[in-house]
């Protein structure tokens, strides 16, 4: 590589006029020029994969790339220390950090497991006074951390907290009041602590002057807000295009806000109901007119406590909608149909299974441009039958040929329907099917669901994310290992027969990054079969499988840069382990693990 | 794989007297272990959202209802299954509570009024608050409540239908118990209430 570098330099030297005039005597000056040129060129590289590749060319490229990277993505906060990140990248404007693995969302991790943002906060505060954007996912951060951020970054513009917890309204107030250039404040599915006596009116903390706010998303905040202050805030935020309200904002209040902000493109409607029972329709202040006035509206969500009688108010905007989230609204097929028949441009739809197969058929009939569909269950329990099934699923596959991403919860599914979708929707990138009944076979043929999932990996050649369910044998995993060459994320729960299953996957899927497995009979032999690949993965999660401590110890010794966290319940004696969470790390095991976590080395 | 499948088919047609899932100790123990974990490490949030769904989590016996589709081995709930975030589960739980009429939004009718109103019981923290709101909403007065006499002497009296379908006088039970058992409210004339007060 060094020879090639020299050759390239020589070529560049012979072409550049400055070198001709100087006669090649000041090599240092030349190197500086080249590095400047390189930096200028690298500035155009935005994709982090491209940048990672560029940084590996040679030391000079590594340096130049590090100086020009303005947006850093860290997929696992424990993969490296904050100091390492700040030492390498000295000019960051934007940072994304992800903490806990996804299974933590389902209470499979102790609550105090980690992913504390504090050490990152202090490192960032020192290293990047001009930091503008921070995106955090599944991190634990406190009000103190938020205050530190607010105090440290004068030009701070964008805060996005997804599935985070540990902070409350005081932290929000600090950000609102001190970040004068704030454009984006988005709290998505985060838990905001609300002890009654400590609730702070954070909406009133925004500056009194006109704001630069473009996006304000707080639909997950579970406490009332000062509505008058919010109305005034919206009125003095002319750039506001994205507003998602929490369920403490009523329909009449929403109406007032919409009148103030007809320029909105993304709206989360809050409760979409009223404490005052306006049962008589002539008292209706013309909600439909308010929606009609929002001519730019393309994305609608909320409906947290929907009064379905008022759903028709959204008809005027349906024709323009590209995204509709009704996943908190218990609407039936008939009610959905009245809305969906207008939504010809819809690309993203999130709904509850209360719409039934009939509702799904209506979606399939109208939404020909649908790219993403998520169907959540109203009843989160195993039942013999449910409101949606292979019937609606197959209808979707027939009608929505451009589908790229699907998340579908149901109580029953057939191989035939899954195979049909694999053929009708070849553009699928994300396929997540959750048959809620564990170990359920195809109800018609009584076969395992192997063939269905096999068809998905075979026919959907762009597939990168897969979640399986139902009764699956090793055969399903054989298919995944054989055909799932682009799969990066795989979720397995209550599936499989023997170690072979996991072995097929670890040996067959070269792009596998994130593997999360629970309650499946994979053990030590399978674990050992992945040694060649673990350094290429972000993490491996295995809980309630058949791993022993000894095998994990072996892996830890074989691959010293891996961190193996064993999370056990107290009663578990002996060699069997409950949960293994394993990830690569440049800076060794973390020091903030709680008692219940043992780190093997 | 062949033997596994035939095993399944046998199970589908087998007559059994035992509880389901008895001869699949491996799979059951998987879910049992997770259940035990849940009871040890459950936080407040978890127990809050699991009251309906996983209250039997730590109970090792299966529920008595046999699955019609008897290929399913275990009816014991597993922690974090199905994989729905607590946040979403909680929102839907609230909705179910509302739909069942167990407190939260309840209809209020008044003798002689042409249409009903609806109020959110969660908004109020005590009887005086609720009664004040009702009096404002319907432009009526209740007078003072006493355990012995009810709302004796007042023009109107508030009553409610409880979970068992009985009509009760508002104020007799502790506030929290009232909120969870009240299905609907009805404001009746004081003269009708006299009958209740005498009980």
């Amino acid at each position: 590589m060094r020879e090639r570098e020299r050759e390239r330099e020589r070529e560049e030297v012979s072409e550049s006029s400055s070198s001709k005039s100087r006669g090649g005597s000041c090599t240092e000056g030349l190197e500086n020029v080249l590095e400047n040129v390189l930096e200028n060129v690298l500035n155009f590289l935005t994709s982090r994969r491209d940048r990672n590749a560029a940084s590996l060319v040679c030391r000079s490229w590594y340096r130049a790339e590090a100086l020009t990277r303005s947006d850093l993505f860290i997929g696992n906060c424990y993969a490296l220390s904050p100091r390492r990140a700040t030492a390498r990248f000295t000019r960051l404007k934007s940072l994304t950090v992800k903490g806990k693995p996804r299974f933590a969302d389902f209470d499979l991790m102790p609550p105090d497991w980690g992913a504390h943002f504090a050490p990152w906060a202090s490192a960032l505060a020192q290293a990047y006074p001009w930091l503008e954007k921070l995106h955090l996912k599944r991190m634990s951060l406190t009000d103190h951390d938020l205050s530190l951020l607010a105090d440290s970054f004068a030009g701070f513009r964008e805060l996005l907290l997804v599935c985070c917890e540990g902070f409350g309204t005081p932290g929000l107030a600090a950000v609102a009041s001190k970040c004068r250039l704030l454009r984006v404040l988005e709290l998505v599915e985060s838990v905001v602590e609300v002890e009654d006596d400590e609730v702070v009116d954070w909406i009133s903390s925004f500056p009194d002057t006109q704001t630069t706010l473009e996006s304000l998303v707080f639909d997950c905040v579970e406490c009332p807000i000062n509505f008058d202050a919010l109305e005034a805030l919206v009125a003095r935020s002319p750039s506001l295009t994205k507003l998602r309200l929490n369920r403490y904002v009523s329909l009449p209040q929403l109406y007032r806000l919409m009148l103030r902000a007809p320029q909105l493109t993304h709206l989360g409607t809050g409760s979409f109901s009223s404490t005052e029972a306006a049962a008589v329709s002539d008292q209706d202040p013309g909600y439909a007119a308010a929606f009609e006035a929002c001519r730019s509206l393309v994305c609608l969500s909320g409906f947290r406590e929907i009064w379905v009688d008022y759903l028709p108010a959204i008809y005027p905007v349906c024709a323009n909608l590209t995204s509709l989230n009704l996943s908190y609204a218990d609407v039936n097929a008939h009610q959905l149909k009245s809305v969906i028949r207008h939504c010809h441009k819809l690309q993203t739809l999130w709904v509850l299974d209360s719409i039934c197969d009939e509702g799904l058929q209506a979606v399939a009939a109208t939404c020909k441009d649908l790219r993403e569909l998520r169907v959540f269950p109203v009843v989160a329990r195993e039942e013999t039958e449910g409101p949606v099934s292979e019937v609606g699923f197959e209808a979707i596959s027939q009608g929505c040929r451009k589908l790229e991403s699907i998340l579908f919860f149901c109580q029953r599914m057939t191989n035939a329907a899954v195979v049909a979708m694999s053929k009708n929707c070849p553009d699928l990138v994300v396929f997540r099917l959750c048959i809620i009944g564990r170990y359920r076979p195809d109800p018609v043929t009584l076969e395992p669901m192997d063939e269905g999932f096999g068809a998905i990996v075979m026919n959907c050649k762009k597939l990168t994310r897969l979640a399986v369910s139902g009764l699956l044998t090793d055969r399903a995993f054989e298919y995944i290992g054989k055909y799932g060459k682009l799969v990066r994320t795989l979720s397995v729960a209550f599936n499989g027969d023997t170690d072979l299953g996991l072995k097929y996957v670890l040996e067959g899927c070269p792009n596998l990054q994130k593997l999360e497995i629970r309650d499946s009979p994979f053990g030590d032999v399978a674990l050992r079969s992945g040694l060649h690949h673990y350094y290429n993965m972000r993490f491996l999660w295995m809980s309630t499988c058949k791993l022993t401590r000894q095998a994990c110890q072996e892996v830890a010794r074989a691959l010293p840069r891996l961190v193996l966290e064993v999370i056990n319940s107290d009663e578990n004696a002996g060699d069997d382990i409950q949960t293994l969470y394993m990830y690569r790390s440049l800076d060794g095991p973390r020091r903030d693990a709680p008692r219940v976590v043992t780190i093997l080395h | 794989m062949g033997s596994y499948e035939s095993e399944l088919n046998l199970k589908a047609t087998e007559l059994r007297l035992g509880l389901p899932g008895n001869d699949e100790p491996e799979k059951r123990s998987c879910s049992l272990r997770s259940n035990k974990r849940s009871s040890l490490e459950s936080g407040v949030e978890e127990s809050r959202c699991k009251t309906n769904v996983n209250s039997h989590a730590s109970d090792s016996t299966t529920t008595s209802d046999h699955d019609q589709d008897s290929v399913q081995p275990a009816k014991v709930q597993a922690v974090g299954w199905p994989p729905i975030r607590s946040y979403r589960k909680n929102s839907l739980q609230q909705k179910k509570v509302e739909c069942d009429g167990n407190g939260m939004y309840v209809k209020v009718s008044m003798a002689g009024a042409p249409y009903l109103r609806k109020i959110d019981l969660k908004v109020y923290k005590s009887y005086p608050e609720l009664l004040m709101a009702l009096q404002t909403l319907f432009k009526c007065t209740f007078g003072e409540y006493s355990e012995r006499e009810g709302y004796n002497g007042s023009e109107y009296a508030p009553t409610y239908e409880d979970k068992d379908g009985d009509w009760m006088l508002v104020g007799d039970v502790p506030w929290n118990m009232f909120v969870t058992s009240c299905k609907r409210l009805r404001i009746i004339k004081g003269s009708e209430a006299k009958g209740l007060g005498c009980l």
Side-chain angles (χ1 to χ4, degrees), chain A residues 208-258:
Chain A
D208 288 331
T209 53
Q210 219 177 54
T211 75
T212 45
L213 268 183
E214 292 168 12
S215 170
L216 180 61
V217 171
F218 62 97
D219 46 357
C220 60
V221 177
E222 287 292 310
C223 71
I225 44 112
N226 179 339
F227 179 73
D228 290 335
L230 178 62
E231 190 176 5
L233 176 64
V234 169
R236 64 179 190 278
S237 304
S239 309
L240 194 69
T241 51
K242 201 165 165 185
L243 179 64
R244 293 202 174 125
L245 310 164
N246 70 5
R247 62 185 184 88
Y248 290 87
V249 179
S250 68
L251 194 45
Q253 289 174 330
L254 170 68
Y255 175 73
R256 281 163 60 181
L257 291 175
M258 288 177 75

Side-chain angles (χ1 to χ4, degrees), chain A residues 485-502:
Chain A
K485 295 305 177 187
L486 295 183
V487 171
R488 294 205 298 264
T489 306
L490 179 63
S491 304
V492 179
F494 304 96
N495 306 117
D497 270 340
T498 72
D499 279 334
L500 272 183
L502 180 52

